[in-house]
Amino acid sequence: PMPKIREPADVIIKVLKTTISPDDIDSLKRNTKAIVKKRRLGQECIGEITEVGNEVSKRKIGQRVLVSSITSCGHCVSCKSRLYGDCQGGGWLLGHRIDGVQGTHARVPHGDYSTFLIPSHVWDTELEDDLVLCSDILPAVLEMGLVDGGIKYDMSIAIVGAGIKGMAAFICAGLYAPREVYILGVEDNQLEAFKFIANGPEFESTRVYILSKEVDDTVDAVLEQTNDEGVDL
């Protein structure tokens, strides 16, 4: 059904771009207890605002926004501490506790704080296509994989597993100008994508080693490449 404003801080968006994330796959397998039958999935998207609740002050109809996979009210103790996943009136809602964004339209609670404006000059460009990854996968990997791991500039890094999360970790690692990056478990069909990322300007001073899926022991492989010194992260 077409979503409607339910709370005064809600916005309704027309979904323009979305993804299928690992969380959606888990939900299909019923690995998430909060998922109910016929729940519409999806938590990453870009959309155009078509309706706003009467308490929404920062968003207007016609604006194009990136929707965060984590809903935040912006006012509770958790939000003020920047622990948005623990928001007392939000957290992981889309595609989980309420219908998600894999449809033509979606309701986004707390629209002022759960969406980010997209400048009009990047509308309908490849850059906008890439921005949808900023809904969840890139910030999640940056926070939990790199920042929580204590990443610093000029480190040596090993990325074990070359799926979408491994690729996201590689992209985010470029923010820290790593000295060396070892990527383990790359399938043939993933090789070109990793080579493309490695050729980006953020890795100009980085030595990148891409090891194939045929490696039996990832620890031994890294130790062999580093003369038994290992990596920083």
Side-chain angles (χ1 to χ4, degrees), residues 17-37:
K17 297 175 173 69
T18 188
T19 69
I20 298 175
S21 78
D23 289 324
D24 298 324
I25 304 301
D26 287 340
S27 297
L28 286 173
K29 295 177 180 177
R30 289 294 189 272
N31 290 340
T32 308
K33 292 181 180 179
I35 298 293
V36 299
K37 191 175 182 180

Side-chain angles (χ1 to χ4, degrees), residues 61-77:
I61 292 173
Q63 289 179 330
R64 194 172 290 195
V65 293
L66 172 73
V67 177
S68 172
S69 65
I70 297 298
T71 300
S72 56
C73 71
H75 302 296
C76 69
V77 172

